[in-house]
Amino acid sequence: FSQRYLHNGEHDQLHSNLAAEIEIQTAQKLGIVAETTAYNTARANEKLALQQELGSAHTETISDTDGFRDETDKGFCMFVESTLYHPQPEIREKARRIMRIIDQYGNLRKLSYSDESSQLTNRNTEIINNYASDLAALGNGWGTAWLNSLNEINTQFVEHFDTRTSEQSSKVNINT
């Protein structure tokens, strides 16, 4: 019987069954007292590594923050788009200038996490650097407030993502 082709869960189950059998029969009766201590230590380390393989505690937070970021971005884009229909022509023109940048970047929500984060930062920086006064005129300052909130949410997302990435890189690799 070779353990080589067992998946992590199967391997763990095999050793859980073996440990249970050793407990029932007792290590002393089996004559493996010295080996049992080393075995239990190795099994505990392996169990820890397997637990880490099941996922990160940050994954749910990342998913939730990404969803909130996506909703906030969509809302911001819809807000700017809605001001294209403002009754005052000068407000419509300000919205057109900002909408042109939004359209150039496209739907960022379809990108990978890291690409979405960097493109969102680039787009929002471009809007602020070139059209801050236009943005402030939309909705009596709501455009600026909305974009600032979106930038904060994006920063939070990047922090959560970087924390998980650091955690993942420090994990024990049980596949080597």
Side-chain angles (χ1 to χ4, degrees):
F1 169 68
S2 173
Q3 297 181 39
R4 181 180 177 126
Y5 299 106
L6 293 178
H7 293 283
N8 292 342
E10 295 168 332
H11 184 82
D12 182 54
Q13 186 60 51
L14 170 78
H15 285 283
S16 292
N17 293 345
L18 180 59
E21 191 63 31
I22 291 170
E23 194 172 308
I24 291 168
Q25 299 298 324
T26 75
Q28 189 172 17
K29 199 185 305 182
L30 295 169
I32 56 169
V33 174
E35 292 84 0
T36 302
T37 303
Y39 173 74
N40 287 337
T41 301
R43 189 167 176 282
N45 290 336
E46 183 179 79
K47 229 174 169 27
L48 176 63
L50 287 171
Q51 287 291 336
Q52 289 177 337
E53 286 291 316
L54 295 176
S56 166
H58 301 286
T59 300
E60 187 174 342
T61 302
I62 288 170
S63 180
D64 291 347
T65 307
D66 180 53
F68 186 48
R69 175 178 68 172
D70 289 350
E71 291 169 356
T72 305
D73 181 47
K74 183 170 178 73
F76 172 73
C77 294
M78 290 173 69
F79 168 74
V80 173
E81 185 178 9
S82 73
T83 57
L84 294 172
Y85 305 99
H86 196 278
Q88 296 174 346
E90 62 275 8
I91 298 295
R92 285 196 304 265
E93 186 54 38
K94 292 173 190 293
R96 267 190 216 97
R97 288 191 287 265
I98 295 168
M99 201 67 212
R100 184 180 56 80
I101 293 175
I102 291 171
D103 288 343
Q104 282 175 348
Y105 281 84
N107 185 357
L108 302 178
R109 296 177 298 279
K110 292 184 177 182
L111 300 175
S112 68
Y113 281 157
S114 56
D115 287 345
E116 179 181 358
S117 299
S118 64
Q119 290 299 307
L120 194 59
T121 298
N122 293 343
R123 184 198 72 193
N124 294 352
T125 300
E126 189 172 340
I127 290 170
I128 290 168
N129 288 346
N130 296 303
Y131 301 108
S133 62
D134 289 348
L135 187 62
L138 303 185
N140 294 322
W142 276 105
T144 303
W146 205 318
L147 194 65
N148 288 340
S149 292
L150 178 56
N151 286 336
E152 288 173 21
I153 294 164
N154 191 45
T155 299
Q156 289 172 2
F157 174 84
V158 169
E159 289 169 357
H160 293 309
F161 189 79
D162 288 349
T163 299
R164 184 181 72 175
T165 301
S166 295
E167 177 188 272
Q168 294 289 336
S169 68
S170 68
K171 282 186 177 181
V172 176
N173 185 349
I174 63 170
N175 295 319
T176 56

